[in-house]
């Protein structure tokens, strides 16, 4: 029987953050077995790590309940914390379908903190058609969007549509057309839609619909957090090395915190967070 560990990432509480399944030594599992395991676990993603192929270097794959995902930030953080608990904190590298992801782990009084470096980020303006179809699926209008943050499709391992809103109230009122948004995302190859509101220079609030993964919403999305940092950089909003916090999952009862570090001269983005084990009764 496959030993499945369950961890909540980007939180210090097992009832917060984004749950992920973690399977170690998954080399002997077929793709179909990984997919079935992820479906059985039912979390937005589960991670499947192979045995080390070098010093603290591991192959890593990710599956949602319905499909493989090239890169998943919260499951990467969860896997790194699991391995740090077994082998001690330090540097490790995951070979993912999106490229190599370096992660540093360190023990702190609050738990084990993991910091992952994304692949090189980039961002492009979303087309009028992409924007209008997304807004229609969300039940929003162009007036809901903040003029400082134009709609973009941002990448830091996979692609995410970025939509910045004017108010926190607009962000809180999320009730979208699941099938319409899923169809658009599958057509365009987007992993999530990152809906965000900038509170100030240090705090961003976000929500991430994830219909292509078979779930309504992700409570913490490390891949989208990295893409958001790259998006801010692409817009020229990052003029010096900057750190900010993304607060996500609050509107769905699973509060999460993701720390993002981005520099104007570096396309790679660092995303950090804690992860704790979920003990199921």
């Amino acid at each position: 029987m496959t030993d499945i560990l369950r961890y909540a990432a980007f939180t210090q509480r097992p009832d917060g953050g984004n749950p992920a399944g973690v399977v170690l030594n998954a080399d002997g599992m077929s793709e179909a077995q990984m997919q079935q395991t992820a479906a059985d676990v039912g979390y937005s993603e589960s991670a499947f790590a192979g045995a080390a192929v070098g010093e603290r270097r591991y192959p890593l794959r990710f599956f949602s309940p319905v499909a493989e995902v090239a890169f998943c930030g919260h499951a990467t953080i969860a896997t790194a914390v699991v391995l740090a608990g077994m082998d001690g904190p330090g540097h490790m590298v995951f070979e993912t379908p999106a490229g190599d992801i370096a992660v540093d782990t360190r023990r702190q009084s609050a738990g084990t903190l993991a910091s992952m470096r994304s692949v090189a980020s980039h961002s492009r303006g979303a087309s009028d058609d992409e924007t209008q179809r997304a807004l229609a699926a969300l039940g929003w209008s162009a007036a809901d969007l903040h003029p400082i943050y134009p709609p973009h499709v941002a990448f830091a391992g996979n692609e995410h549509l970025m939509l910045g809103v004017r108010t926190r109230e607009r962000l809180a009122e999320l009730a979208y057309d699941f099938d319409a948004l899923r169809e658009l995302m599958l057509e365009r190859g987007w992993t999530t839609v990152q809906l965000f509101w900038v509170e100030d220079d240090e705090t961003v609030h976000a929500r991430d619909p994830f219909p292509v993964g078979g779930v309504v919403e992700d409570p913490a999305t490390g891949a989208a957090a990295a893409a958001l940092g790259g998006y801010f950089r692409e817009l020229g909003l990052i003029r010096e090395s900057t750190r900010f916090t993304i607060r996500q999952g609050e509107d769905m009862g699973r509060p999460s915190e993701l720390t993002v570090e981005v520099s104007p001269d570096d396309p790679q983005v660092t995303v950090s967070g804690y992860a704790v084990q979920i003990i199921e009764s």
Side-chain angles (χ1 to χ4, degrees), residues 7-11 13-21 43-45 72 74-75 78 210 217-222 248 252 254-256 275-276 278:
Y7 272 68
F10 297 114
T11 181
R13 297 166 31 191
D15 60 346
N18 199 355
Y43 294 155
S44 58
E45 278 104 358
C72 172
H74 82 275
F210 187 40
E217 183 179 357
D218 243 357
T221 317
Q248 191 179 337
M252 55 187 302
R254 294 197 71 96
S256 310
V276 293
I278 299 170

Side-chain angles (χ1 to χ4, degrees), residues 124-244:
R124 66 163 177 86
S127 70
D128 288 342
D129 178 68
E130 290 171 333
T131 302
Q132 292 305 317
R133 288 174 63 187
L135 290 175
L138 291 166
W140 292 4
S141 72
D144 290 315
L145 302 182
H146 200 299
I148 292 179
Y149 308 107
H152 263 228
V153 177
F155 173 90
N158 38 34
E159 290 193 331
H160 309 261
L161 177 65
M162 300 282 155
L163 296 177
V165 300
R166 290 178 182 269
T167 67
R168 181 67 178 89
E169 290 73 23
R170 173 73 281 180
L171 191 66
E173 298 168 0
L174 181 62
Y176 68 92
D177 186 328
F178 187 94
D179 291 335
L181 191 58
R182 179 178 181 274
E183 180 180 354
L184 173 60
M185 292 173 68
L186 287 172
E187 179 185 313
R188 300 300 185 184
W190 301 336
T191 298
T192 71
V193 175
Q194 171 122 110
L195 312 172
F196 67 93
W197 174 69
V198 177
E199 179 179 342
D200 53 38
D201 290 343
E202 298 180 349
T203 308
V204 177
H205 297 257
R207 302 187 73 171
D208 281 73
F210 187 40
V212 295
V215 297
V216 172
E217 183 179 357
D218 243 357
T221 317
L228 182 64
Y231 163 77
F232 287 155
R233 176 181 175 273
E234 191 80 16
L235 292 181
L237 300 176
I238 305 299
R239 294 183 172 84
E240 57 185 24
S241 295
T242 299
R243 174 184 295 184
F244 62 91

